[in-house]
Amino acid sequence: MSAVVSPIREPLVTGGKTYHQITEDICSPTERTPSAAWVLAFIVAVTGLALFVFGVAWTIWQGIGTWDLNRTIGWSWDITNFVWWVGIGHAGTLISAILLLFRQRWRTGVNRAAEAMTIFAVICAGQFPLIHMGRIWLAFFIFPYPNTRGPLWVNFNSPLLWDVFAISTYFTVSLLFWYTGLVPDFATVRDRAKGIRRKLYNFLSFGWTGSAKHWQRWEALSLVLAGLATPLVLSVHTIVSFDFATSVIPGWHTTIFPPYFVAGAIFSGFAMVQTLMIMTRKILKLEDYITLEHIESMNKVILTTGTIVGVAYLTELFIAWYSGYIYEQFAFYNRVLGPYYWSYIGMMSCNVLSPQIFWWKSLRRNIFVTFVMSIFVNIGMWFERFVIIATTLARDYLPSSWSYYVPTWVEIIIFIGSLGLFFTLYLIFVRVAPVVAVAEIKSILKAGGDQYIGPNANKTHQESKEATH
C-alpha cells in the first residue's frame, strides 16, 4: 500500500534521485580516494589523538599531581569532560530510537552518523574516570566479580558504581543498534566491492541476502533495540546526575538535577550532531540527503531543549532563594558573582540566550548560523558542567580551605586530545561505512523525494500510483 504523500511537506531527498543514484552517492565515499578536505581533517584529528596519548601517558607516569587538584577541588576538568562527553553521546540514540518508534521520516538523513557519534562519545567519556583513578592498572576493582582478595566488593550504594552499570549498558545497546542498522548497507557495499574488500564486507554483513525473512527479522530487531534504548536515554544521564544529587553538598543536593541533566544532554548531543552533519554534508557532498529540512528539524529540538535548560537554571536560582538555607544561597551567589562569574556568564549566554535566535525560520535554515550555534551550545554545555563541579567545590564551609582552580597544561592537552580521539574515530567511520543509511533513504524516496512531493514534483500522487500499477 502506498504511503500518503503530502504535496506541502518539504522533500527529504532532493535532486530527483533514482534508487541507483542513491547507492552511488552514498557508497562512493567508501570506495574512492579520500578528498583533500578529508585528509586535512584526518591529519588534524590524529595530531589531537597523539596529544591525548601523550597527556594520558604523562599523567600515568608522573601521577595525578600533574593536575591542579587540591584539597578543595578533587574533581576538575576530568569529571567535567566526562559528564560533557556522556551528554554528547545521548542524541544519537535519541534520534535513532525515539524517532524510529514515532516513525519520523526526517531521522533517515542523520541517524547513522548520530549513532556513530554516540559510540565514539561514550568511548571518549569512559577514558576520564579511568585516568582519574590515579592507579589505572587497578581499574578492574570497579567490577563486581568473585575474587580471591577476601570480602572486597564494590560499594553498591555509590552512584559512581551506578555510572559503570548504566553507561556500559547504554554503550552495549547503542553499539548493537548502530551495527544492526549497518548490516544491509554493508551488504550493498559488498556487492559493489572486489577482492579482499568484498570478503571483509561479506563478513561484516553476516551473509545478508536481502530476502523477505532477513528484512522481517532486521525490522523486528531494530524495534526491540529501539524499545530498549529509549528508556536508557533517560536513565543514563539521570544516573550521572546522581553523582551530584545524592551528595549533601550545597548546590548539588537538589532534585531538579535528573530532568535537567537529561534535557541538557539531549541539548548538547543534538548540537554536536549538527556540527558533524554540516561538516559531513559539505566534505562528502551529501546536500541532497542531509537537507535544510533535516537541519531545521534539529534546530527545533535544540530550541526546545535549550528553553527547558534555561527554565531549569532559573528554577535553581529561585529554589535557592526560596529555601532560606544560607549555604545553598551562598553556593548560587558564588556561582553568579564569585570568582568564576565568567563561566556562569558563558553558560547562560551560550545555553539560554543564543538558541533563542532559532525562533526565526530564516535563521533555523541558515547553514552558517546553525554551525556557529552548534559550537556555541557545546561550549556553553561544557561551561555548565564546569560551573556545577568547580565553582561548587571551590568554596566550602571553611574559608581557610577556599581555593581557585586553574587547569595545568596536562589537563588541557588531554581534553583537546579527547576531541582528536573522537574525530579520528568518526573520520575513519565515514571512510569504512555509508554515513547515511542507504536502505532507509530508499524506503522514504517515494514519500519524501522532491520528484514526488513539493513544488518541483514531476508527477502528482495519483499519477505516481497509476504508473506503479
Side-chain angles (χ1 to χ4, degrees), residues 10 30 34 45 59-60 131 175 180 235 250 253 258 260 293 296 303 353 362 382 386 391 422-423 434 439 442:
E10 290 254 356
T30 67
T59 299
I60 294 172
I131 306 168
L175 183 64
T180 299
S235 68
H253 188 65
Y260 116 64
E293 178 67 11
E296 183 181 11
L303 174 60
L353 300 179
S362 59
W382 189 92
F386 181 79
T391 65
F422 176 81
F423 282 104
K442 289 180 178 180

mmCIF file of all heavy atoms in Angstrom, residues 10 30 34 45 59-60 131 175 180 235 250 253 258 260 293 296 303 353 362 382 386 391 422-423 434 439 442:
data_model
loop_
_atom_site.group_PDB
_atom_site.id
_atom_site.type_symbol
_atom_site.label_atom_id
_atom_site.label_comp_id
_atom_site.label_asym_id
_atom_site.label_seq_id
_atom_site.Cartn_x
_atom_site.Cartn_y
_atom_site.Cartn_z
ATOM 1 N N GLU A 10 7.953 19.441 3.069
ATOM 2 C CA GLU A 10 9.246 19.662 2.417
ATOM 3 C C GLU A 10 9.889 18.331 2.040
ATOM 4 O O GLU A 10 9.857 17.378 2.818
ATOM 5 C CB GLU A 10 10.175 20.412 3.368
ATOM 6 C CG GLU A 10 9.781 21.852 3.600
ATOM 7 C CD GLU A 10 10.702 22.814 2.890
ATOM 8 O OE1 GLU A 10 11.675 22.357 2.284
ATOM 9 O OE2 GLU A 10 10.421 24.018 2.943
ATOM 10 N N THR A 30 33.107 5.546 0.379
ATOM 11 C CA THR A 30 33.847 4.424 0.965
ATOM 12 C C THR A 30 34.736 3.739 -0.058
ATOM 13 O O THR A 30 35.560 2.890 0.313
ATOM 14 C CB THR A 30 32.873 3.382 1.551
ATOM 15 O OG1 THR A 30 32.129 2.768 0.479
ATOM 16 C CG2 THR A 30 31.907 4.030 2.526
ATOM 17 N N PRO A 34 40.244 9.260 -0.786
ATOM 18 C CA PRO A 34 39.732 10.343 0.065
ATOM 19 C C PRO A 34 40.080 11.713 -0.485
ATOM 20 O O PRO A 34 41.129 11.914 -1.097
ATOM 21 C CB PRO A 34 40.422 10.095 1.408
ATOM 22 C CG PRO A 34 41.586 9.210 1.110
ATOM 23 C CD PRO A 34 41.182 8.387 -0.067
ATOM 24 N N ALA A 45 42.979 15.616 13.272
ATOM 25 C CA ALA A 45 42.410 14.743 14.298
ATOM 26 C C ALA A 45 43.464 13.808 14.888
ATOM 27 O O ALA A 45 43.527 13.611 16.107
ATOM 28 C CB ALA A 45 41.258 13.929 13.709
ATOM 29 N N THR A 59 50.426 11.575 32.605
ATOM 30 C CA THR A 59 49.674 11.526 33.860
ATOM 31 C C THR A 59 49.933 10.215 34.597
ATOM 32 O O THR A 59 50.147 10.199 35.819
ATOM 33 C CB THR A 59 48.165 11.682 33.592
ATOM 34 O OG1 THR A 59 47.920 12.953 32.981
ATOM 35 C CG2 THR A 59 47.360 11.592 34.876
ATOM 36 N N ILE A 60 49.901 9.108 33.859
ATOM 37 C CA ILE A 60 50.108 7.806 34.500
ATOM 38 C C ILE A 60 51.538 7.679 35.019
ATOM 39 O O ILE A 60 51.775 7.155 36.113
ATOM 40 C CB ILE A 60 49.782 6.675 33.500
ATOM 41 C CG1 ILE A 60 48.276 6.689 33.162
ATOM 42 C CG2 ILE A 60 50.179 5.317 34.059
ATOM 43 C CD1 ILE A 60 47.882 5.739 32.056
ATOM 44 N N ILE A 131 41.327 7.493 34.102
ATOM 45 C CA ILE A 131 42.527 8.289 34.392
ATOM 46 C C ILE A 131 42.430 8.890 35.791
ATOM 47 O O ILE A 131 43.412 8.952 36.537
ATOM 48 C CB ILE A 131 42.691 9.417 33.350
ATOM 49 C CG1 ILE A 131 42.672 8.851 31.928
ATOM 50 C CG2 ILE A 131 43.976 10.184 33.583
ATOM 51 C CD1 ILE A 131 42.535 9.911 30.856
ATOM 52 N N LEU A 175 25.629 0.192 20.658
ATOM 53 C CA LEU A 175 26.514 -0.463 19.691
ATOM 54 C C LEU A 175 25.742 -1.487 18.859
ATOM 55 O O LEU A 175 25.892 -1.550 17.629
ATOM 56 C CB LEU A 175 27.674 -1.134 20.426
ATOM 57 C CG LEU A 175 28.737 -1.810 19.561
ATOM 58 C CD1 LEU A 175 29.460 -0.786 18.692
ATOM 59 C CD2 LEU A 175 29.737 -2.570 20.433
ATOM 60 N N THR A 180 23.322 -3.066 13.859
ATOM 61 C CA THR A 180 22.164 -3.666 13.186
ATOM 62 C C THR A 180 21.747 -2.828 11.985
ATOM 63 O O THR A 180 21.461 -3.363 10.911
ATOM 64 C CB THR A 180 20.987 -3.791 14.174
ATOM 65 O OG1 THR A 180 21.362 -4.645 15.251
ATOM 66 C CG2 THR A 180 19.757 -4.364 13.480
ATOM 67 N N SER A 235 17.603 7.221 31.452
ATOM 68 C CA SER A 235 18.183 6.708 32.695
ATOM 69 C C SER A 235 19.658 7.034 32.842
ATOM 70 O O SER A 235 20.123 7.305 33.955
ATOM 71 C CB SER A 235 17.986 5.190 32.776
ATOM 72 O OG SER A 235 18.762 4.527 31.795
ATOM 73 N N PRO A 250 25.919 21.687 49.364
ATOM 74 C CA PRO A 250 25.018 22.740 48.864
ATOM 75 C C PRO A 250 25.340 23.076 47.410
ATOM 76 O O PRO A 250 26.504 23.239 47.041
ATOM 77 C CB PRO A 250 25.333 23.924 49.787
ATOM 78 C CG PRO A 250 25.866 23.315 51.037
ATOM 79 C CD PRO A 250 26.624 22.096 50.594
ATOM 80 N N HIS A 253 22.912 19.047 46.117
ATOM 81 C CA HIS A 253 21.847 18.239 46.714
ATOM 82 C C HIS A 253 20.483 18.812 46.320
ATOM 83 O O HIS A 253 19.838 19.535 47.085
ATOM 84 C CB HIS A 253 22.003 18.213 48.241
ATOM 85 C CG HIS A 253 21.071 17.258 48.916
ATOM 86 N ND1 HIS A 253 21.141 15.902 48.733
ATOM 87 C CD2 HIS A 253 20.049 17.468 49.779
ATOM 88 C CE1 HIS A 253 20.205 15.310 49.449
ATOM 89 N NE2 HIS A 253 19.519 16.246 50.094
ATOM 90 N N PRO A 258 18.228 15.431 37.904
ATOM 91 C CA PRO A 258 17.961 14.391 36.895
ATOM 92 C C PRO A 258 17.256 14.892 35.640
ATOM 93 O O PRO A 258 17.763 14.685 34.523
ATOM 94 C CB PRO A 258 17.128 13.361 37.672
ATOM 95 C CG PRO A 258 17.579 13.518 39.076
ATOM 96 C CD PRO A 258 17.832 14.990 39.253
ATOM 97 N N TYR A 260 16.949 17.940 34.430
ATOM 98 C CA TYR A 260 17.638 18.970 33.666
ATOM 99 C C TYR A 260 18.975 18.471 33.123
ATOM 100 O O TYR A 260 19.448 18.963 32.086
ATOM 101 C CB TYR A 260 17.688 20.277 34.462
ATOM 102 C CG TYR A 260 19.011 20.848 34.902
ATOM 103 C CD1 TYR A 260 19.952 21.277 33.967
ATOM 104 C CD2 TYR A 260 19.282 21.048 36.247
ATOM 105 C CE1 TYR A 260 21.141 21.859 34.380
ATOM 106 C CE2 TYR A 260 20.456 21.632 36.661
ATOM 107 C CZ TYR A 260 21.395 22.033 35.727
ATOM 108 O OH TYR A 260 22.559 22.612 36.136
ATOM 109 N N GLU A 293 15.672 20.752 5.504
ATOM 110 C CA GLU A 293 14.562 20.256 6.313
ATOM 111 C C GLU A 293 15.089 19.483 7.525
ATOM 112 O O GLU A 293 14.571 19.629 8.644
ATOM 113 C CB GLU A 293 13.663 19.352 5.469
ATOM 114 C CG GLU A 293 12.496 18.731 6.207
ATOM 115 C CD GLU A 293 11.447 19.742 6.648
ATOM 116 O OE1 GLU A 293 11.511 20.903 6.207
ATOM 117 O OE2 GLU A 293 10.563 19.366 7.432
ATOM 118 N N GLU A 296 16.628 22.100 9.931
ATOM 119 C CA GLU A 296 15.604 22.878 10.634
ATOM 120 C C GLU A 296 14.935 22.047 11.726
ATOM 121 O O GLU A 296 14.690 22.544 12.833
ATOM 122 C CB GLU A 296 14.550 23.388 9.653
ATOM 123 C CG GLU A 296 13.512 24.260 10.348
ATOM 124 C CD GLU A 296 12.434 24.781 9.410
ATOM 125 O OE1 GLU A 296 12.355 24.298 8.258
ATOM 126 O OE2 GLU A 296 11.664 25.660 9.833
ATOM 127 N N LEU A 303 16.177 24.308 20.118
ATOM 128 C CA LEU A 303 15.454 25.429 20.716
ATOM 129 C C LEU A 303 14.608 24.959 21.898
ATOM 130 O O LEU A 303 14.598 25.586 22.965
ATOM 131 C CB LEU A 303 14.561 26.091 19.658
ATOM 132 C CG LEU A 303 13.620 27.194 20.147
ATOM 133 C CD1 LEU A 303 14.403 28.342 20.765
ATOM 134 C CD2 LEU A 303 12.751 27.697 18.991
ATOM 135 N N LEU A 353 20.476 32.158 26.048
ATOM 136 C CA LEU A 353 20.183 33.301 25.185
ATOM 137 C C LEU A 353 20.390 32.985 23.702
ATOM 138 O O LEU A 353 19.514 33.273 22.879
ATOM 139 C CB LEU A 353 21.054 34.495 25.599
ATOM 140 C CG LEU A 353 20.875 34.999 27.035
ATOM 141 C CD1 LEU A 353 21.811 36.172 27.305
ATOM 142 C CD2 LEU A 353 19.424 35.404 27.279
ATOM 143 N N SER A 362 14.170 31.812 9.125
ATOM 144 C CA SER A 362 15.289 32.081 8.222
ATOM 145 C C SER A 362 16.626 31.719 8.878
ATOM 146 O O SER A 362 17.549 31.254 8.204
ATOM 147 C CB SER A 362 15.293 33.555 7.812
ATOM 148 O OG SER A 362 15.409 34.402 8.951
ATOM 149 N N TRP A 382 29.703 22.730 28.156
ATOM 150 C CA TRP A 382 30.929 22.435 28.903
ATOM 151 C C TRP A 382 31.042 23.387 30.101
ATOM 152 O O TRP A 382 31.388 22.958 31.206
ATOM 153 C CB TRP A 382 32.156 22.585 27.997
ATOM 154 C CG TRP A 382 33.407 22.095 28.644
ATOM 155 C CD1 TRP A 382 33.938 20.838 28.571
ATOM 156 C CD2 TRP A 382 34.269 22.847 29.519
ATOM 157 N NE1 TRP A 382 35.083 20.764 29.338
ATOM 158 C CE2 TRP A 382 35.315 21.976 29.938
ATOM 159 C CE3 TRP A 382 34.270 24.154 29.989
ATOM 160 C CZ2 TRP A 382 36.343 22.385 30.781
ATOM 161 C CZ3 TRP A 382 35.287 24.562 30.849
ATOM 162 C CH2 TRP A 382 36.306 23.680 31.227
ATOM 163 N N PHE A 386 31.346 22.636 34.168
ATOM 164 C CA PHE A 386 32.426 23.251 34.946
ATOM 165 C C PHE A 386 31.847 24.072 36.099
ATOM 166 O O PHE A 386 32.371 24.041 37.225
ATOM 167 C CB PHE A 386 33.280 24.144 34.042
ATOM 168 C CG PHE A 386 34.443 24.797 34.741
ATOM 169 C CD1 PHE A 386 35.603 24.079 34.995
ATOM 170 C CD2 PHE A 386 34.374 26.128 35.156
ATOM 171 C CE1 PHE A 386 36.674 24.674 35.651
ATOM 172 C CE2 PHE A 386 35.440 26.728 35.800
ATOM 173 C CZ PHE A 386 36.589 25.994 36.053
ATOM 174 N N THR A 391 32.969 25.417 40.586
ATOM 175 C CA THR A 391 32.562 26.554 41.412
ATOM 176 C C THR A 391 31.894 26.108 42.708
ATOM 177 O O THR A 391 31.960 26.810 43.726
ATOM 178 C CB THR A 391 31.611 27.490 40.646
ATOM 179 O OG1 THR A 391 30.393 26.793 40.364
ATOM 180 C CG2 THR A 391 32.233 27.932 39.347
ATOM 181 N N PHE A 422 37.907 11.523 19.266
ATOM 182 C CA PHE A 422 36.539 11.463 18.738
ATOM 183 C C PHE A 422 36.522 11.648 17.220
ATOM 184 O O PHE A 422 35.923 10.846 16.490
ATOM 185 C CB PHE A 422 35.697 12.549 19.414
ATOM 186 C CG PHE A 422 34.291 12.656 18.888
ATOM 187 C CD1 PHE A 422 33.313 11.792 19.318
ATOM 188 C CD2 PHE A 422 33.958 13.643 17.950
ATOM 189 C CE1 PHE A 422 32.019 11.881 18.830
ATOM 190 C CE2 PHE A 422 32.676 13.743 17.465
ATOM 191 C CZ PHE A 422 31.697 12.858 17.902
ATOM 192 N N PHE A 423 37.183 12.681 16.731
ATOM 193 C CA PHE A 423 37.126 12.960 15.296
ATOM 194 C C PHE A 423 37.950 11.958 14.481
ATOM 195 O O PHE A 423 37.619 11.687 13.322
ATOM 196 C CB PHE A 423 37.572 14.392 15.015
ATOM 197 C CG PHE A 423 36.526 15.417 15.327
ATOM 198 C CD1 PHE A 423 36.610 16.202 16.464
ATOM 199 C CD2 PHE A 423 35.432 15.582 14.493
ATOM 200 C CE1 PHE A 423 35.627 17.137 16.757
ATOM 201 C CE2 PHE A 423 34.441 16.509 14.779
ATOM 202 C CZ PHE A 423 34.534 17.288 15.919
ATOM 203 N N PRO A 434 28.818 3.569 4.931
ATOM 204 C CA PRO A 434 27.981 4.675 4.442
ATOM 205 C C PRO A 434 27.504 5.538 5.596
ATOM 206 O O PRO A 434 26.950 5.035 6.568
ATOM 207 C CB PRO A 434 26.807 3.945 3.766
ATOM 208 C CG PRO A 434 27.339 2.596 3.423
ATOM 209 C CD PRO A 434 28.302 2.252 4.523
ATOM 210 N N ALA A 439 19.531 2.004 2.846
ATOM 211 C CA ALA A 439 18.256 1.295 2.811
ATOM 212 C C ALA A 439 17.116 2.168 3.302
ATOM 213 O O ALA A 439 16.002 2.142 2.736
ATOM 214 C CB ALA A 439 18.354 0.025 3.653
ATOM 215 N N LYS A 442 16.177 4.939 0.755
ATOM 216 C CA LYS A 442 15.377 4.368 -0.342
ATOM 217 C C LYS A 442 13.946 4.099 0.101
ATOM 218 O O LYS A 442 13.007 4.228 -0.696
ATOM 219 C CB LYS A 442 16.024 3.079 -0.841
ATOM 220 C CG LYS A 442 17.328 3.290 -1.601
ATOM 221 C CD LYS A 442 17.908 1.967 -2.071
ATOM 222 C CE LYS A 442 19.193 2.192 -2.874
ATOM 223 N NZ LYS A 442 19.779 0.913 -3.335
#
